[in-house]
Amino acid sequence: MFGHFRRQGGTGSTRSAEALRLVKVSKVYGSDDSAVTALDGVSLSLPAGSFTAVMGPSGSGKSTLLQCAAGLDRADSGIVMVDGEQMTGGTEAELTKFRRQRVGFVFQQYNLLDTLTVEQNTTLPLRLAGRRVDRRRARDILARVGLGERLGHRPDQLSGGQRQRVAIARALVTEPSVIFADEPTGALDTRSAREVLGLLQEAVRVHGRTVVMVTHDPVAASYADAVLFLADGRLAGHMERPTVDEVAERLAHLGDMVAARHDVPAGV
Ligand code: ADP
Ligand code: MG
């Protein structure tokens, strides 16, 4: 099964050279008159150890793309492969198991459990997956994201930036192939945003994870190795080694294009 994608990793675990592949993934919300095509046959391939930003106008399908690629939602058609293995198909329980092993997710609103401590939030994915909880490793990860002194705090005792760093630690703890982040800096001040982006970059450069991050901010996108642009549920461009200015220019252009296609009046 997909033998040519697989190679032996240094730790004895198998890792594919291709972290994520989507083949003609489509998703429609609603039906008949109210049907919205959120994704319209998206195909892409991301190598392991890459950091990709996904950008596009509001409503272009960015969140849907992430949800379908991460197995949080099901595509209507098409194939999603993570780490060389097909995620689509199978039962709900199989999908959940696959996701817990291979995928981490960071949300704009952190999605931490208020009743758990920083350390408990971080180790939760291991408990849910029925895996041994290596507290020392969890504490190492929390120290790395700058929360070594906050293990017993609860989320409401933390700043937004600190909460998002807990969410990143939680995404790292299972050693997933791909970490998906939907506007992870959307609710943060500039300084906290930079810290979070630096940690995502470190997850790629130092720890070999693959990161796919939705953002509307050209500065955030410039931390990535490449940008994929979406418009109306389709891929609408690609940029390697993005700079802030180039990304901003392309986004403005994309917004104009979409507005023209939908007859949006000037100034709206
Ligand atoms: P983005 O993240 O780029 O803003 P989304 O992926 O959230 O875009 O949405 C893409 C399109 O799908 C939009 O037109 C949106 O209104 C629609 N959509 C998203 N989620 C739902 C849903 N649960 N039910 C109905 N329509 C939805
Ligand atoms: Mg969105």
Side-chain angles (χ1 to χ4, degrees):
M1 39 160 230
F2 311 112
H4 58 293
F5 285 135
R6 305 196 69 79
R7 64 179 159 78
Q8 198 66 27
T11 58
S13 64
T14 47
R15 275 278 144 94
S16 170
E18 184 185 54
L20 181 70
R21 173 182 287 229
L22 269 58
V23 184
K24 294 185 178 165
V25 170
S26 292
K27 175 86 185 174
V28 176
Y29 289 109
S31 56
D32 303 327
D33 286 356
S34 64
V36 174
T37 304
L39 288 180
D40 190 5
V42 172
S43 298
L44 58 86
S45 165
L46 302 180
S50 58
F51 186 177
T52 303
V54 177
M55 304 190 86
S58 179
S60 58
K62 303 181 297 294
S63 292
T64 306
L65 177 73
L66 240 62
Q67 302 264 332
C68 289
L72 292 171
D73 199 353
R74 274 182 194 273
D76 294 326
S77 60
I79 293 172
V80 176
M81 288 174 73
V82 176
D83 214 12
E85 286 197 35
Q86 192 169 328
M87 180 164 71
T88 29
T91 64
E92 208 60 43
E94 282 166 346
L95 178 64
T96 301
K97 185 167 177 225
F98 188 95
R99 192 178 63 228
R100 285 187 179 147
Q101 282 171 348
R102 315 240 174 183
V103 167
F105 213 103
V106 178
F107 301 87
Q108 178 173 349
Q109 293 304 332
Y110 328 122
N111 290 17
L112 302 176
L113 290 183
D114 293 334
T115 53
L116 300 184
T117 65
V118 164
E119 186 176 352
Q120 288 165 340
N121 267 290
T122 302
T123 55
L124 185 64
L126 297 172
R127 288 178 212 283
L128 289 173
R131 283 163 64 175
R132 196 175 66 85
V133 175
D134 183 342
R135 290 183 67 185
R136 207 177 63 183
R137 209 168 60 76
R139 289 177 176 199
D140 281 349
I141 293 173
L142 283 166
R144 234 160 52 210
V145 303
L147 294 172
E149 312 296 315
R150 308 277 170 152
L151 301 177
H153 284 58
R154 293 182 200 279
D156 65 2
Q157 300 172 304
L158 301 177
S159 70
Q162 288 170 332
R163 290 183 206 192
Q164 196 60 302
R165 285 187 271 140
V166 177
I168 290 175
R170 180 180 62 183
L172 286 170
V173 79
T174 57
E175 305 190 307
S177 297
V178 186
I179 295 171
F180 294 95
D182 195 348
E183 302 271 11
T185 60
L188 303 181
D189 59 80
T190 308
R191 185 182 158 178
S192 303
R194 263 194 239 124
E195 287 169 0
V196 160
L197 291 162
L199 288 170
L200 291 173
Q201 216 169 38
E202 189 181 303
V204 173
R205 305 252 163 95
V206 182
H207 305 286
R209 309 280 160 237
T210 303
V211 172
V212 185
M213 171 183 74
V214 166
T215 181
H216 64 264
D217 175 10
V219 175
S222 71
Y223 280 72
D225 307 321
V227 182
L228 290 175
F229 295 93
L230 268 185
D232 287 337
R234 295 186 199 156
L235 285 184
H238 175 257
M239 186 184 287
E240 298 280 338
R241 289 177 296 281
T243 66
V244 179
D245 290 346
E246 284 169 337
V247 170
E249 194 184 317
R250 186 83 73 92
L251 267 187
H253 182 66
L254 211 58
D256 291 346
M257 253 172 47
V258 171
R261 219 179 302 144
H262 292 282
D263 294 326
V264 177
V268 176

